[in-house]
Structures are given as C-alpha cells and as structure tokens.
Amino acid sequence: MPTTKKEQLLHTPSDLKESDRAHLADVLNALVADAFALYVKTKNYHWHMSGRHFRDYHLLLDEQAEQIFATIDPLAERVRKLGERTIHSIAEIGKRQRVNDNDKAFVAPIDMLTDLLEENKAMAKNMRDAHEDCDNASDVATASLLEVYIDETERRAWFLFEATREID
C-alpha cells in the first residue's frame, strides 16, 4: 500500500492481494522494459539490414517492431490498473531489461535474425513465467493479456526461424 498521500493518488482499488499486486507489477515492469529494448533492437536491425533479402527482411522486422511496440502501453497500463507505478525512464529500462543490446557497427543479416529469434524465444518464456505468476495471484485479466502476447511472440520467433533456414 502506498505510504504518502501523493502515492495514494495513484493507487487503484482491487480485490487482489497487495503483495500479489506489487509482485505482478514488478514482473510486468520487467516485460515493459524488455519490450522497449526488443523494439529498439528490432528497429536497429531493420535500419541496418543489407544483402540480397534486404526488402523481405526489412519489411519483416518493421512489422515485428510495430507489433512489439503495440504491447508496451497495454502492459504498462496493466501495472497502473494493479495500482502500482510503471517504468519512468530510459535509465530504468536499461536497468530492468533482459534483452541484450548489440552496438556493433555491422551485423550480418543471418546473425540479426538469429539474435532476434533467441530474444523472442526468451521473451515468450518470460511471458509464460509471468502468466504463471498471474495464475497464482488469480489475476485473469493480466493472464489473458499475456496469452495474446505469448502467441504473437511465438509467431515472431517462428517467422525468424523460417527466415534463417537454408532450404533450396
């Protein structure tokens, strides 16, 4: 429960236990940070794509980045619906993200796709773990939201996997 009057202004009523709400907010804030970091990483690779499959990969990564970005606001708003505070800054994202940055001047297209495949697989696992926490707290609303995002994340991983295969 918030301790100051100003903090209490942000506290939303809920029938979920306070300790569960705080834990779920922490878990969701980590997903928000991951989504921001994965969005930037995907856009970075989109901007720096090269090679004979440039157009296809460029468009694929742009589509995936838009999908990732679209998850951020609903996840952050879910934290607020739980009566908690969400991510405040780029610095906080940097501290909380589990997505690995790649600041190399050049990354080969196959390495970009493979890297994003692994990051999306990790994101899906983190979402499934968060879903389990939601189940344990009887938070069906957050669990339902995560179910859609898990499916989207697995679809991104599938497309990235298929794009990395060398089948002729």
Side-chain angles (χ1 to χ4, degrees):
M1 183 76 159
T3 56
T4 69
K5 283 190 179 199
K6 286 186 179 181
E7 287 176 336
Q8 289 173 359
L9 291 174
L10 296 176
H11 196 67
T12 305
S14 173
D15 65 326
L16 297 174
K17 292 191 312 190
E18 288 294 326
S19 60
D20 288 341
R21 293 165 68 181
H23 173 73
L24 291 173
D26 186 56
V27 167
L28 288 173
N29 276 327
L31 291 176
V32 170
D34 287 344
F36 268 116
L38 186 56
Y39 167 76
V40 170
K41 186 176 210 175
T42 303
K43 286 303 276 191
N44 171 37
Y45 289 162
H46 158 82
W47 294 321
H48 294 98
M49 184 54 68
S50 63
R52 65 186 179 127
H53 297 291
F54 167 79
R55 187 174 190 284
D56 291 336
Y57 296 161
H58 183 78
L59 294 174
L60 173 68
L61 298 185
D62 197 35
E63 176 184 295
Q64 290 194 354
E66 287 178 16
Q67 186 181 70
I68 295 163
F69 188 78
T71 68
I72 295 169
D73 191 54
L75 288 170
E77 287 182 354
R78 192 66 206 144
V79 172
R80 291 290 300 118
K81 289 176 192 174
L82 291 169
E84 301 292 332
R85 296 173 7 143
T86 192
I87 297 289
H88 281 83
S89 66
I90 298 294
E92 189 174 354
I93 291 167
K95 288 177 193 169
R96 301 210 54 167
Q97 77 182 56
R98 294 165 287 191
V99 172
N100 296 310
D101 291 331
N102 187 333
D103 295 327
K104 294 179 184 173
F106 177 81
V107 180
I110 191 73
D111 294 334
M112 290 179 184
L113 298 176
T114 301
D115 186 17
L116 290 175
L117 168 60
E118 294 305 315
E119 295 289 8
N120 277 278
K121 285 170 41 181
M123 179 72 117
K125 183 199 180 307
N126 291 334
M127 288 180 178
R128 277 192 290 279
D129 291 347
H131 189 287
E132 186 175 329
D133 290 340
C134 293
D135 288 344
N136 292 336
S138 298
D139 182 358
V140 295
T142 304
S144 177
L145 185 67
L146 288 172
E147 288 168 2
V148 173
Y149 295 159
I150 291 166
D151 184 57
E152 290 175 357
T153 304
E154 290 176 338
R155 184 174 192 269
R156 288 193 305 271
W158 171 40
F159 275 47
L160 291 162
F161 169 73
E162 291 298 340
T164 62
R165 295 176 56 174
E166 293 295 326
I167 299 175
D168 291 319

